[in-house]
Amino acid sequence: MRLGWEKILRNAEVEIEYHNDFLEELQNTKETAKLRRAWSGLLGHYVNSVSAMRRATDAGPSKKWSDKLYPDQKRDPILQYAKVARDADVHVFEEERRVVHRAVTFGSILSVSGNVNVIFDRNTLIGNDGISRRLPDFSLKVEDGRVAKSSIPKAAFQEKCHYIELRSIKSRDGAVYQVPNPHVLPELQAIEIGRHTGRWIQARFREACDLAR
């Protein structure tokens, strides 16, 4: 272990705690601005925790374990994506981070977000069979992407959650990293990545502590 490893491992533990705090915020925040901050914070503390664990163990018998951390990340598509995403994130302006805002939908006919008043009156829909059908008349008030008031039952609408929209990332060396979990619903992809990185760094932290005994 490196001289002063106790303090460095404590720093790693704090980074892991911050990572988990931001994961909690990513899953539960109702404010879109905080959603962006949570994703950015989660990525940053994930990378920082790994760096701290590597520094604490890069001397003596533990160096072999330390040297495996980065290769282990590269072999895991989710861990590697998160690492590259963090590097890309520090070069992105806040307004450029891709966020899908909360929205209210009415079938495939209507989708609105933000704060808006809608009056739906005397509309028809032509189906695939060519038959024209009258749609229900209603008024709708939406506040922050949520139904605030409606003249028809709220169950007629679907409220979509906000989420970080993940896309492929091009690293500074030109390599392209695809979203590692495309089988997961888009609104859950970032959350699953955060859960995966959290489990991994917690497991590596326990191993590092065992090496120090």
Side-chain angles (χ1 to χ4, degrees), residues 35 59 67 75-76 80 91 115 119 126 134 172 200:
L35 192 72
D67 290 343
R75 281 192 291 269
D76 186 311
Q80 181 67 2
H91 301 290
N115 302 307
I119 296 178
I126 299 177
R134 175 74 182 270
R172 285 180 290 180
W200 189 79

Side-chain angles (χ1 to χ4, degrees), residues 28-36 99-105 111-118 140-149 154 158-163:
N28 298 313
T29 186
K30 296 180 180 179
E31 299 179 40
T32 300
K34 289 185 178 180
L35 192 72
R36 295 188 182 102
V99 174
V100 175
H101 291 263
R102 297 198 298 186
V104 174
T105 62
S111 178
V112 291
S113 59
N115 302 307
V116 65
N117 291 303
V118 177
L140 171 67
K141 182 177 183 180
V142 175
E143 294 180 351
D144 191 26
R146 289 292 177 261
V147 176
K149 187 177 180 181
K154 185 178 178 180
Q158 185 174 7
E159 294 180 334
K160 302 285 189 178
C161 66
H162 59 185
Y163 60 93

Side-chain angles (χ1 to χ4, degrees), residues 110 116-123 136-141:
L110 176 72
V116 65
N117 291 303
V118 177
I119 296 178
F120 219 68
D121 185 36
R122 289 176 291 182
N123 289 283
D137 298 335
F138 62 84
S139 61
L140 171 67
K141 182 177 183 180

